[in-house]
């Protein structure tokens, strides 16, 4: 599932490519034909990302709302894009670029009030709030008795974290995923937020999730790490922890798998 950094990158990319001029919109699949027809030819004013939610605001105040969900994908091309496949829910194009949206959980036009409701229900977004979001995050964490590993996926606690970041951030902070959220002390919650901000900003910049400190695997830069070196625990069950050698464990939590190091993340 795309995590917050991917959605922010898409908002930025589509803002750069499409904002400020009329955009052609259509639905090759047909399922969004009416909605696409309403925005076809309108000028896109701006794009915005809130956690995993994407918004496109057009010149007549029409708002396109997209949530990629688990399998959704946006593919963006320059001026010579291939033809869209028949599964393309929405196609956006101008002279410079084309984007195809496939398999989203949501793709619809919303009124401003609905957008406010969607955004209002979210916890702080580390990529929007930065360090200023710490107190709100801590307060929302304190109100939940469920395991912190589950709480981090709850978009009302923090907006934008997905399955990779939740496992990696808990490892980086040495917190066992089953620790009840309301027992994470103030200092740990502050550090957890700080790490979340730092990691998502790195992801936003590079477009990929690399949490491993390159020095720990004998490299100088994050960009030098191979695919197998980029993460500490995610999908590494049975493999030795990069820091202590203990085999990484895997459990189901909140309906999704999570990985952790029993030594570095004691209960
Ligand atoms: Zn370890």
């Amino acid at each position: 599932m795309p995590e917050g950094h991917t959605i922010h990158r898409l908002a930025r990319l589509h803002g750069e490519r499409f904002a400020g001029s009329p955009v052609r919109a259509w639905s090759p699949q047909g399922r969004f034909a009416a909605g696409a027809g309403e925005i076809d030819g309108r000028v896109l004013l701006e794009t915005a990302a809130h956690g995993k939610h994407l918004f496109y605001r057009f010149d007549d105040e029409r708002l396109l709302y997209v949530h990629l969900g688990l399998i959704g994908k946006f593919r963006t091309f320059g001026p010579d894009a291939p033809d869209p496949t028949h599964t393309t829910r929405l196609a956006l194009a101008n002279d410079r670029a084309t984007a195809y949206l496939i398999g989203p959980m949501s793709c619809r036009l919303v009124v401003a009030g609905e957008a406010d409701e969607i955004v209002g229900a979210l916890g702080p977004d580390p990529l929007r709030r930065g360090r200023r979001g710490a107190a709100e995050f801590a307060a929302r964490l304190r109100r939940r008795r469920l395991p912190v590993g589950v709480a981090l996926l709850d978009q009302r606690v923090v907006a934008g974290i997905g399955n990779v970041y939740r496992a990696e951030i808990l490892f980086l902070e040495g917190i066992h995923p089953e620790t009840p959220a309301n027992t994470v002390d103030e200092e740990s919650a502050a550090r957890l937020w700080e790490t979340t901000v730092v990691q998502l900003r790195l992801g936003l910049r590079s477009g990929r999730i690399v949490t491993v400190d390159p020095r720990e695997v004998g490299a100088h830069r994050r960009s030098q790490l191979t695919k197998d070196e980029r993460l500490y625990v995610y999908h590494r069950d049975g493999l030795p922890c990069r820091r202590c050698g203990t085999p990484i464990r895997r459990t189901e939590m909140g309906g999704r798998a999570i990985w952790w190091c029993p030594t570095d993340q004691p209960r």
Side-chain angles (χ1 to χ4, degrees), residues 52-63:
K52 299 178 186 173
H53 306 264
L54 261 173
F55 296 92
Y56 297 74
R57 192 160 68 84
F58 290 86
D59 60 353
D60 60 349
E61 292 304 311
R62 277 194 170 73
L63 260 178

Side-chain angles (χ1 to χ4, degrees), residues 171 240-246 248 261-265:
F171 173 84
C241 172
R242 298 192 194 283
R243 289 192 173 157
C244 73
T246 309
I248 298 299
C261 170
T263 305
D264 285 306
Q265 296 164 268

Side-chain angles (χ1 to χ4, degrees), residues 8 45 62 66 68 106 119 131-132 135 137 148 191 233 247 266:
H8 279 261
L45 296 182
R62 277 194 170 73
V66 173
L68 294 179
S106 295
V119 173
R131 297 190 163 89
R132 289 169 296 133
F137 168 69
V148 64
R191 283 211 325 263
V233 291

Side-chain angles (χ1 to χ4, degrees), residues 17-18 24 76-83 93-100:
R17 301 283 174 91
F18 297 113
R24 294 191 301 282
T76 309
F77 305 91
D80 4 283
D83 288 336
N94 61 15
D95 296 342
R96 303 187 302 266
T98 300
Y100 296 141

Side-chain angles (χ1 to χ4, degrees), residues 214-229:
R215 290 165 299 188
E216 287 185 42
V217 291
H220 294 290
R221 285 196 304 273
R222 279 166 200 272
S223 58
Q224 294 173 318
L225 302 186
T226 67
K227 206 164 172 268
D228 293 337
E229 292 174 330

